[in-house]
Amino acid sequence: MEKDMMSDNTGAIKRYALELGFSDCGIAAVEELVDEYIRYEQWLSLGYHAHLGYMERNSEKRKDISLIVPDARSVIVLTHNYHTPHIHPSGESDTSGKLARYAWGDDYHDILPPKLEKLSKYIKELYPDTESRYYTDTGPILEKQWAVKAGVGWQGKHSNIISRGYGSWFFIGIIITTAELIPDAPIQDFCGSCTACLDACPTNAIVQPYVVDAGKCISYWTIEAKPDTCIPEPIAQNMNGWLFGCDICQDVCPWNRFQKHTEEKSFEPRNNETSIDYVKLETMVQDEFSERFRKSPIKRTKLKGIQRNIAAIKGAKND
Ligand code: SF4
Ligand code: SF4
């Protein structure tokens, strides 16, 4: 395809992505992730993925994305801001637990896919002979590494991707396509000498710059750990009211000051709640939980997991 046409189509795809509500759209040319995969394997070998066994599987696909979409030429990385004007309740409460910002609104697994589907259809209109597949955190894809390659941000020392325009309060969607598009260049790392996230992490889960040990991270324990797994004492002692997730390392990041707010109403706090009453949750029955957290990210932890988290917070206070 002529370079001019490729450039026009790339621009048209990026414009349509913004029209759909994405905050940014970057493109990387498909190639094997060699250095990135070596670092990922080292992280796995140190056991920093805790009990997330699925991260060990599909290693070939994680390394070579064209095993997911044969003949893939481009990886399109879409970011979607979820930052709202609300703030976390200050201090620790005896009656309610804090929720990570990403969980205040509706589940991004429901909000992003229809937009990714529309963009994929648009690519098909521009390039009828191509195939595309989209993912929101749902495939064996090293999304952060592709986000860096596509230039939508750099990986901060807390390991999240940071955009100069949007900080780190955004979700990532990926489209793998056989369409050849003009790639973007990675941007530089703007963390500099800052260590605010490492200094603020209450459990020292950021074991070195850019490396998080999930087994020490409050987010892992309150969201990902199986509901019947006990939260270890050193984590529980530092939960300080974090009921679902933890935003501490991102809250202290200077790149998250004064960032733009999302226009996506679905990410506004459901029921105007940025924290949830413990008693309500402790006495909740399954039907109530399913109804209350339908289409919310919080359903992931299940009622038993949420109640386990409350018990850990309260148990640590009583010690
Ligand atoms: S989410 Fe919380 S516990 Fe995890 S690395 Fe960040 S500050 Fe530490
Ligand atoms: S807090 Fe500082 S070191 Fe950590 S990610 Fe933000 S800029 Fe980088």
Side-chain angles (χ1 to χ4, degrees):
M1 174 171 292
E2 276 181 33
K3 195 128 191 194
D4 282 355
M5 187 183 276
M6 211 196 293
S7 174
D8 288 351
N9 286 347
T10 302
I13 289 166
K14 289 184 172 187
R15 280 193 297 280
Y16 188 47
L18 299 187
E19 271 174 40
L20 289 169
F22 289 109
S23 312
D24 198 4
C25 172
I27 294 168
V30 166
E31 58 184 3
E32 263 197 37
L33 297 179
V34 179
D35 294 341
E36 294 88 348
Y37 193 75
I38 290 171
R39 285 195 291 275
Y40 180 72
E41 263 190 330
Q42 283 166 346
W43 182 78
L44 288 177
S45 70
L46 290 164
Y48 289 161
H49 57 311
H51 298 109
L52 299 174
Y54 71 87
M55 296 186 110
E56 294 169 21
R57 296 193 282 276
N58 290 308
S59 55
E60 290 307 312
K61 287 182 182 166
R62 286 179 208 276
K63 203 188 313 175
D64 181 1
I65 209 163
S66 66
L67 295 174
I68 300 176
V69 175
D71 302 319
R73 304 294 296 274
S74 310
V75 176
I76 306 174
V77 180
L78 291 314
T79 63
H80 201 306
N81 184 2
Y82 63 82
H83 185 40
T84 62
H86 311 275
I87 54 170
H88 287 295
S90 60
E92 195 183 346
S93 159
D94 285 335
T95 55
S96 64
K98 289 177 276 194
L99 312 170
R101 277 187 168 77
Y102 91 89
W104 289 352
D106 289 343
D107 194 340
Y108 66 101
H109 293 102
D110 296 318
I111 306 302
L112 264 59
K115 300 185 185 200
L116 291 167
E117 187 168 358
K118 282 185 184 161
L119 192 57
S120 301
K121 282 188 179 154
Y122 184 61
I123 296 168
K124 186 84 174 164
E125 280 170 26
L126 293 174
Y127 297 95
D129 297 333
T130 61
E131 298 300 327
S132 302
R133 279 179 77 173
Y134 60 84
Y135 292 89
T136 25
D137 204 10
T138 41
I141 297 164
L142 298 183
E143 285 162 334
K144 290 180 183 175
Q145 289 82 344
W146 282 109
V148 170
K149 283 181 99 60
V152 297
W154 74 98
Q155 189 160 19
K157 290 179 189 171
H158 51 28
S159 94
N160 299 291
I161 303 299
I162 307 177
S163 148
R164 289 188 82 177
Y166 293 91
S168 62
W169 306 123
F170 58 79
F171 301 116
I172 295 176
I174 298 271
I175 298 177
I176 310 165
T177 178
T178 58
E180 189 177 3
L181 303 170
I182 308 270
D184 293 291
I187 63 165
Q188 93 180 66
D189 177 334
F190 286 100
C191 278
S193 59
C194 175
T195 56
C197 52
L198 288 104
D199 301 339
C201 176
T203 52
N204 297 316
I206 310 174
V207 289
Q208 64 184 71
Y210 312 100
V211 181
V212 172
D213 177 354
K216 290 184 176 173
C217 176
I218 294 167
S219 280
Y220 165 79
W221 282 103
T222 55
I223 300 173
E224 303 294 342
K226 292 211 171 91
D228 51 5
T229 320
C230 277
I231 297 183
E233 196 58 28
I235 307 297
Q237 289 292 347
N238 286 291
M239 282 169 68
N240 295 322
W242 284 101
L243 174 64
F244 182 90
C246 164
D247 279 341
I248 294 172
C249 54
Q250 296 186 83
D251 271 332
V252 299
C253 180
W255 288 99
N256 276 342
R257 280 185 214 143
F258 319 117
Q259 289 299 352
K260 294 173 195 156
H261 297 138
T262 185
E263 287 173 14
E264 176 57 71
K265 297 284 170 246
S266 315
F267 296 143
E268 290 290 328
R270 293 159 62 111
N271 308 315
N272 286 320
E273 287 174 323
T274 57
S275 64
I276 304 189
D277 188 83
Y278 291 141
V279 177
K280 230 191 246 179
L281 291 164
E282 283 173 316
T283 53
M284 205 172 252
V285 293
Q286 185 55 51
D287 286 353
E288 238 180 306
F289 180 82
S290 306
E291 177 57 27
R292 166 73 179 74
F293 295 109
R294 201 171 59 86
K295 291 184 180 278
S296 154
I298 295 173
K299 64 181 179 303
R300 180 177 182 83
T301 307
K302 303 194 168 57
L303 177 58
K304 203 172 163 189
I306 287 287
Q307 291 176 338
R308 177 266 323 265
N309 297 350
I310 297 172
I313 294 168
K314 288 191 166 179
K317 275 189 188 163
N318 295 333
D319 280 350

